[in-house]
Amino acid sequence: MIRLDNISKQNGHQILFIEASMGIQKGEKVGLVGPNGAGKTTLFRMITGQEQPDDGLVTIDPGMTIGYFSQDVGEMSGQSAVAAVMDGVGPVSALAAEMARLEAAMVDPDQADALDAILECYGEVQGRFEELDGYALDARAREVLAGLSFSQERMDGDVGLLSGGWKMRVALARILLMRPDGMLLDEPSNHLDLESLIWLEAFLKTYDGALLMTSHDRAFMNRIIGKVVEIDAGVLITYSGDLDFYDQQRALSEQQRQAQYERQQAMLAKEINFIEKFKARASHAAQVQSRVKKLDKIERVEAPRRRQTVQFEFRSPPRSGDDVISLRDIHKGYGAQPIYQGLDFLVRRRERWCVLGANGAGKSTLLKLVAGATAPDRGTVNIGASVRMGYFAQHSMDLLEGEETIFESLDGAFPQAGQGALRTLAGCFGFSGDDVEKPCRVLSGGEKARLVMAKMLFDPPNLLVLDEPTNHLDMATKEMLVAALADFEGTMLFVSHDRHFLAALSNRVLELTPEGVHQYGGGYTEYVSRTGQEAPGLHPAG
């Protein structure tokens, strides 16, 4: 269905692909993995024809439709979200526009003479529109948008007024509504809340076309894909199975490569030793020559490249009092919209609360109340004795000083730390070597999030308040953060849409629903098994 044969591609001085090959058949769901900058987006762009390989062949079945969702959503304005979604469906939206034009012509007195021709043309266009199930399109567009957490009001509002994250969802809805023969999804899980993520997962499971996707969300990928294609030093390697199986196979193949490399190194050392020992002796000249020729012909086994994983280790935070956060009779609303009416909530030392709730339920508001970023309309927020708080919010990344380099930013926060300690800290959060000289203004969302996190965790607080800390993080950084936070000796209150993060780190659940606030002892995994749902208001987990 989609084939890449012996593809080679170079961007400037960087070689992305060297005679790389892969294929995807109808019905296959494939995860594309590889380190940042390995060429995942370039691969998508070659399949869609936006870029050409320098060498090799990209083959798409004749007549095959492909929908490509990328992080670059382009300009959107001047129409409702629903209309913007229907716009992407090609012939149907063109026919809808033509019908609207003809309907206007029917009532135009200047075109009364041509009414018969207009009616005939309208009948043909309407027939084609019905064949393509056009009348159901509006309903289907709304269903997809609702799945991605759009309210009716937001669906009908001007798409140009939406934030970047919501425009991303409109762009994604376009592709999903299209139901093309092949879907290329580049990080579709970014900017989605937990409910939307679970809905999208169910949608993609039932999709019967060919799917190639990247995602930093491990649980999301694992539940959808049955095959992994890895970009590794310019080559495409295909593994059947999900990410867990890929990890096992990759580790096994690395062990085998290492053993093969060590065996060959031992053999080469032995041969070189013989040559060095006897090269000056005429009696051994023939043997020496034969061995030199043999060595020249041997194809060298390369040592497997070690994936660099640096672990971050917490220094022990100072101990806080037993009552860390106490909220009493909290009332909070925005305009006429009440969020909390009489909330009582107590957080004790070493509890790790994850906050669950649909969009608008008040998750971020609760964290802002605790952090002092917003005040309650009524009630009291008390932070306990000896509590030192670290608060990570989405706007934290906007507070970085643009002209400062990464290293200067860290050095400014910890002037006593010393260069070695700060470089180690930067390395743990994915900034190695010259990366630390990058100015903050050129950093991507993920890099900014990592820098803010590094600054917050180096001199650890004993209370972490985290609002979607994994939003921009790649899988490797996420794994490092989960491992580090698992050893954290303080207290946590957090919101996340990443189920691996929720399951690994929570030991309490606060659920915000329209019917009220519920508290659960036990973490996210226990919550799922107890309620039969992965998020409030969703159908039972399958």
Side-chain angles (χ1 to χ4, degrees), residues 106-269:
M106 285 178 207
V107 293
D108 181 356
D110 293 344
Q111 299 190 50
D113 294 350
L115 188 60
D116 288 349
I118 292 168
L119 285 169
E120 188 181 337
C121 188
Y122 185 79
E124 285 172 17
V125 173
Q126 190 182 35
R128 289 210 302 281
F129 186 73
E130 282 174 351
E131 270 171 35
L132 293 172
D133 207 13
Y135 286 112
L137 192 65
D138 182 85
R140 278 176 46 223
R142 287 176 186 277
E143 193 183 319
V144 170
L145 285 170
L148 296 175
S149 299
F150 275 74
S151 61
Q152 289 298 329
E153 192 183 349
R154 204 171 243 149
M155 288 180 202
D156 293 315
D158 182 352
V159 71
L161 300 177
L162 295 176
S163 69
W166 286 98
K167 282 180 178 168
M168 287 270 185
R169 296 186 196 210
V170 170
L172 178 59
R174 253 182 201 168
I175 308 295
L176 302 180
L177 183 66
M178 232 174 110
R179 281 214 171 229
D181 302 323
M183 264 197 245
L184 310 178
L185 303 181
D186 194 359
E187 294 294 345
S189 52
N190 276 7
H191 303 286
L192 294 187
D193 52 67
L194 185 56
E195 292 75 18
S196 305
L197 205 57
I198 293 164
W199 178 87
L200 178 59
E201 188 181 283
F203 184 99
L204 293 176
K205 278 181 181 170
T206 61
Y207 168 65
D208 55 5
L211 173 67
L212 180 66
M213 64 182 276
T214 63
S215 174
H216 292 328
D217 189 316
R218 188 179 186 90
F220 174 70
M221 276 263 261
N222 251 353
R223 294 171 185 216
I224 295 165
I225 62 169
K227 184 166 154 179
V228 173
V229 170
E230 179 190 37
I231 305 177
D232 186 14
V235 180
L236 292 168
I237 307 165
T238 301
Y239 298 82
S240 55
D242 62 10
L243 284 175
D244 293 340
F245 181 74
Y246 151 76
D247 283 340
Q248 291 165 11
Q249 291 301 303
R250 197 178 194 289
L252 193 63
S253 128
E254 252 181 26
Q255 282 170 8
Q256 289 167 345
R257 283 259 300 277
Q258 185 65 33
Q260 204 181 348
Y261 171 75
E262 285 169 8
R263 278 198 305 273
Q264 191 182 66
Q265 288 300 302
M267 181 273 290
L268 292 173

Side-chain angles (χ1 to χ4, degrees), residues 92-110:
V92 175
S93 56
L95 290 168
E98 178 65 4
M99 279 165 63
R101 190 187 69 76
L102 291 168
E103 282 161 8
M106 285 178 207
V107 293
D108 181 356
D110 293 344

Side-chain angles (χ1 to χ4, degrees), residues 266-295:
M267 181 273 290
L268 292 173
K270 197 173 155 190
E271 293 294 324
I272 290 164
N273 193 23
F274 180 90
I275 292 164
E276 288 299 317
K277 194 172 176 183
F278 294 111
K279 66 181 176 188
R281 296 193 192 177
S283 57
H284 287 75
Q287 280 173 288
V288 167
Q289 277 306 309
S290 147
R291 291 191 183 206
V292 167
K293 280 182 186 167
K294 178 181 156 189
L295 282 189

Side-chain angles (χ1 to χ4, degrees), residues 255-489:
Q255 282 170 8
Q256 289 167 345
R257 283 259 300 277
Q258 185 65 33
Q260 204 181 348
Y261 171 75
E262 285 169 8
R263 278 198 305 273
Q264 191 182 66
Q265 288 300 302
M267 181 273 290
L268 292 173
K270 197 173 155 190
E271 293 294 324
I272 290 164
N273 193 23
F274 180 90
I275 292 164
E276 288 299 317
K277 194 172 176 183
F278 294 111
K279 66 181 176 188
R281 296 193 192 177
S283 57
H284 287 75
Q287 280 173 288
V288 167
Q289 277 306 309
S290 147
R291 291 191 183 206
V292 167
K293 280 182 186 167
K294 178 181 156 189
L295 282 189
D296 285 342
K297 285 180 185 167
I298 286 175
E299 194 172 324
R300 298 291 199 267
V301 175
E302 278 186 39
R305 279 174 309 285
R306 295 261 172 248
R307 287 277 161 104
Q308 274 195 317
T309 50
V310 189
Q311 289 308 320
F312 175 74
E313 288 185 13
F314 270 102
R315 296 192 298 199
S316 287
R319 187 188 158 117
S320 71
D322 286 339
D323 288 358
V324 178
I325 306 164
S326 168
L327 278 69
R328 303 290 295 276
D329 191 31
I330 295 293
H331 288 70
K332 180 70 181 174
Y334 295 105
Q337 180 69 40
I339 304 287
Y340 293 112
Q341 295 173 294
L343 171 70
D344 291 319
F345 179 45
L346 176 67
V347 176
R348 312 254 311 155
R349 191 173 74 85
R350 298 201 70 167
E351 289 181 340
R352 295 153 169 253
W353 287 88
C354 70
V355 185
L356 300 180
N359 254 340
K363 300 187 294 293
S364 291
T365 300
L366 177 69
L367 270 51
K368 284 177 184 167
L369 286 164
V370 169
T374 191
D377 301 334
R378 203 170 91 212
T380 55
V381 178
N382 282 318
I383 303 300
S386 308
V387 170
R388 277 182 51 198
M389 188 190 309
Y391 174 43
F392 179 90
Q394 292 307 300
H395 72 265
S396 313
M397 304 187 304
D398 304 330
L399 305 178
L400 293 169
E401 185 55 58
E403 293 310 312
E404 277 188 346
T405 65
I406 290 170
F407 187 80
E408 286 166 348
S409 187
L410 293 172
D411 192 37
F414 311 109
Q416 310 300 318
Q419 204 176 61
L422 292 183
R423 283 188 175 272
T424 303
L425 172 67
C428 287
F429 284 85
F431 302 113
S432 53
D434 294 341
D435 281 352
V436 294
E437 300 308 325
K438 278 185 183 175
C440 292
R441 63 182 157 72
V442 305
L443 301 181
S444 67
E447 288 171 324
K448 284 179 180 170
R450 297 203 308 261
L451 177 54
V452 170
M453 203 77 70
K455 287 170 81 165
M456 188 171 69
L457 300 181
F458 181 63
D459 184 14
N462 48 30
L463 167 63
L464 288 176
V465 178
L466 308 175
D467 192 357
E468 293 287 4
T470 62
N471 244 4
H472 298 276
L473 302 184
D474 60 30
M475 226 179 265
T477 311
K478 240 185 242 185
E479 293 292 343
M480 181 278 288
L481 189 62
V482 167
L485 291 176
D487 295 333
F488 175 60
E489 292 168 15

Side-chain angles (χ1 to χ4, degrees), residues 43-92:
L43 185 79
F44 283 142
R45 291 172 64 83
M46 287 194 294
I47 293 173
T48 58
Q50 290 168 276
E51 285 193 37
Q52 298 303 317
D54 300 334
D55 210 356
L57 209 58
V58 178
T59 315
I60 312 289
D61 277 2
M64 179 180 179
T65 55
I66 290 183
Y68 172 36
F69 170 76
S70 77
Q71 293 296 299
D72 181 16
V73 297
E75 193 43 53
M76 290 183 190
S77 63
Q79 56 187 157
S80 69
V82 172
V85 168
M86 288 167 63
D87 245 9
V89 183
V92 175

Side-chain angles (χ1 to χ4, degrees), residues 498-509:
D498 187 293
R499 282 162 289 176
H500 175 52
F501 193 87
L502 289 169
L505 296 174
S506 60
N507 59 23
R508 300 280 188 284
V509 175

